[in-house]
Amino acid sequence: MSNLELTSDAPADANDGAWLACIECGETFAPFDAVRYTCDHCDGLLEVRYSDLPTWDDFREDERGVWRYAAALPFEEGVSLPEGDTPLHEVPGLEEELGLARLRVKHEGMNPTGSFKDRGMTVGVRVAQEVGVDRLACASTGNTSAALAAYGARGGMETLVLLPAGKVAAGKVAQASLHGARILEVDGNFDTCLDIVQELAGMGEAYLLNSLNPFRLEGQKTIGLEILEQFRDEEGSYPDRIALPVGNAGNTAALYKCFRELVESGAMEESEMPKLTGVQAEHSAPMVEAIEHGWDEIERWDEVETRATAIRIGNPVNAPKALPGIRETDGTAVAVTDEEITDAQRALAGEGVGVEPASAASIAGVRKLREEGEIAADEQVVCLTTGHLLKDPDAAAEAGVDPEPVPGDTEGVLETLND
Ligand SMILES: *Cc1c(COP(=O)(O)O)cnc(C)c1O
Ligand SMILES: [Zn+2]
């Protein structure tokens, strides 16, 4: 079982009350003395720990977005564009169709580069400055590369991205390209890209900013803080459930850490933790498999496929943090088909909320769990939509209606309209 207990005293080499701890063996490390992504002793995942955990009053009144929550982060400020402060949309049509007491959509596609990855990057690039590296790298299904390229450019650093050839949505490659990343298209899937970039990082070639990097998850933790604050301010309570698409399971891990820290600081009751509900595409669903079988670890899927390319991942690296998160919050995981994802993408678009396919998986998953009776009618649910519609213009065009050719005169246009 993972060592996710937060209560331990700061080690002597903590930096300003922050340090790293291995979630498997409990070993602690100074946070910025060396570049380190996993435990020196057992290769387990690392987590950032703090000697002081904030309550709601400790967050900045004068600030919105990620850095409002500086009291929960290892720095006061970072390389910022700025990020966070995304809308929590009402979707009355979907709320009624799904038969839920409340349904809200936290649209992370409204971040500067169009996905939640910006929240992790603002913190991650700040850490890169602290440890003194000048070349950043990631493997990516697309959005991480767009965020890395933009934040690296903003921070004046060189950026290198490894993408699975032919499997990245057009908008994302365009962003990485224009922001000046060096883009390598790898003959392999995302998991192969991550294997390679991890080895490059291990050789000191670049600073790794995939979600294996525990500092990125600190930034992403603020999604949870924002949802809880926004929902509480509007509804007077926290949501019962948060549903989200799962790729590498970084967000699932980050949200669980957010909840644990709030419980530990006394800002939230343990019984108030929203049920984390992970959604995967049916042919890329190792987390769902592990949850359904009650396994403590995932089994890597070598062949994965889905139209939702952002979650086309067979080896979710953050599973050791995310599986306990789903279990301890009494949540679940569910797989949906590409068709169900596209239906959900259309339904969201029909409410004015434009998302890319992976994001719509959250709604598709809730719809399925509602049908199966797993989610009750009296529940208050927040769905996380992770990326913007324009990220994947091809998927949007396929899911939408076709333009109709008309002649270049009013008469001809009228004729078509009256057809
Ligand atoms: C990265 C990404 C995901 C997957 O998030 P994880 O934290 O890796 O599970 C889902 N949707 C979109 C749009 C993404 O960019
Ligand atoms: Zn360890």
Side-chain angles (χ1 to χ4, degrees):
M1 196 62 223
S2 293
N3 185 357
L4 289 163
E5 197 69 44
L6 290 174
T7 44
S8 60
D9 293 331
D13 54 1
N15 183 304
D16 210 9
W19 66 96
L20 292 169
C22 171
I23 68 159
E24 302 296 344
C25 75
E27 187 66 49
T28 62
F29 303 95
F32 312 120
D33 68 330
V35 174
R36 170 185 291 114
Y37 310 103
T38 55
C39 176
D40 294 5
H41 303 294
C42 76
D43 209 30
L45 295 178
L46 299 175
E47 193 168 69
V48 184
R49 300 276 169 86
Y50 304 92
S51 51
D52 285 315
L53 290 170
T55 62
W56 294 114
D57 296 338
D58 296 316
F59 300 130
R60 286 196 194 147
E61 281 301 326
D62 60 341
E63 185 95 46
R64 308 291 304 166
V66 168
W67 296 100
R68 167 177 169 72
Y69 304 102
L73 301 172
F75 294 100
E76 285 299 307
E77 55 191 6
V79 175
S80 180
L81 285 171
E83 47 292 312
D85 195 22
T86 56
L88 188 68
H89 289 300
E90 297 187 8
V91 283
L94 263 169
E95 185 179 87
E96 191 182 326
E97 185 222 304
L98 298 184
L100 286 165
R102 287 274 177 287
L103 179 63
R104 296 284 181 271
V105 171
K106 178 67 169 168
H107 194 8
E108 285 293 300
M110 301 306 285
N111 274 292
T113 77
S115 87
F116 71 83
K117 300 295 197 306
D118 297 342
R119 293 186 189 256
M121 258 349 136
T122 185
V123 177
V125 173
R126 176 67 187 83
V127 175
Q129 291 176 329
E130 191 73 16
V131 296
V133 294
D134 48 21
R135 191 189 209 190
L136 313 174
C138 69
S140 178
T141 58
N143 283 330
T144 302
S145 72
L148 182 89
Y151 282 81
R154 188 75 181 178
M157 294 177 192
E158 214 182 304
T159 52
L160 171 70
V161 306
L162 277 72
L163 307 178
K167 295 294 182 185
V168 178
K172 306 175 187 182
V173 186
Q175 288 179 291
S177 164
L178 190 60
H179 287 302
R182 178 146 188 207
I183 305 172
L184 305 181
E185 286 194 325
V186 177
D187 178 18
N189 61 24
F190 167 83
D191 304 295
T192 308
C193 294
L194 186 57
D195 290 344
I196 296 171
V197 82
Q198 251 182 275
E199 287 191 63
L200 290 177
M203 296 174 193
E205 289 290 325
Y207 185 65
L208 182 72
L209 276 172
N210 279 98
S211 58
L212 186 66
N213 186 317
F215 294 105
R216 246 197 57 192
L217 299 188
E218 292 304 289
Q220 288 170 215
K221 204 171 71 176
T222 64
I223 301 173
L225 293 166
E226 254 178 45
I227 290 176
L228 295 176
E229 272 201 319
Q230 285 172 310
F231 198 91
R232 183 199 57 197
D233 289 351
E234 287 167 24
E235 311 296 338
S237 67
Y238 299 123
D240 299 310
R241 185 183 300 272
I242 297 178
L244 72 166
V246 174
N248 262 319
N251 272 339
T252 317
L255 286 168
Y256 183 45
K257 186 164 191 277
C258 164
F259 303 160
R260 281 187 290 136
E261 290 182 350
L262 290 172
V263 169
E264 189 62 33
S265 77
M268 186 167 84
E269 298 293 326
E270 195 168 341
S271 60
E272 291 178 308
M273 291 197 294
K275 298 175 165 66
L276 284 172
T277 301
V279 188
Q280 294 192 298
E282 63 170 348
H283 298 302
S284 309
M287 283 280 290
V288 176
E289 181 182 50
I291 288 290
E292 281 177 355
H293 290 82
W295 297 342
D296 278 342
E297 292 172 20
I298 59 114
E299 223 166 78
R300 178 176 178 146
W301 289 22
D302 287 323
E303 301 292 329
V304 284
E305 201 49 83
T306 168
R307 189 73 190 77
T309 49
I311 51 172
R312 189 174 169 274
I313 292 175
N315 186 31
V317 292
N318 287 299
K321 293 175 172 176
L323 287 171
I326 290 175
R327 295 210 172 98
E328 297 302 319
T329 60
D330 199 22
T332 187
V334 63
V336 293
T337 66
D338 278 9
E339 206 184 340
E340 288 164 339
I341 287 174
T342 301
D343 283 346
Q345 191 189 14
R346 279 196 201 100
L348 279 166
E351 304 243 24
V353 182
V355 307
E356 67 166 285
S359 307
S362 59
I363 290 283
V366 168
R367 184 183 262 158
K368 179 163 258 176
L369 292 169
R370 239 342 249 139
E371 283 164 7
E372 290 172 354
E374 282 283 319
I375 297 182
D378 62 358
E379 276 197 33
Q380 311 198 93
V381 179
V382 173
C383 283
L384 189 65
T385 58
T386 40
H388 197 276
L389 177 151
L390 290 174
K391 288 284 194 173
D392 193 342
D394 299 327
E398 267 172 49
V401 296
D402 290 332
E404 302 166 56
V406 291
D409 56 75
T410 310
E411 214 172 296
V413 171
L414 268 178
E415 214 164 276
T416 306
L417 286 177
N418 293 330
D419 243 5

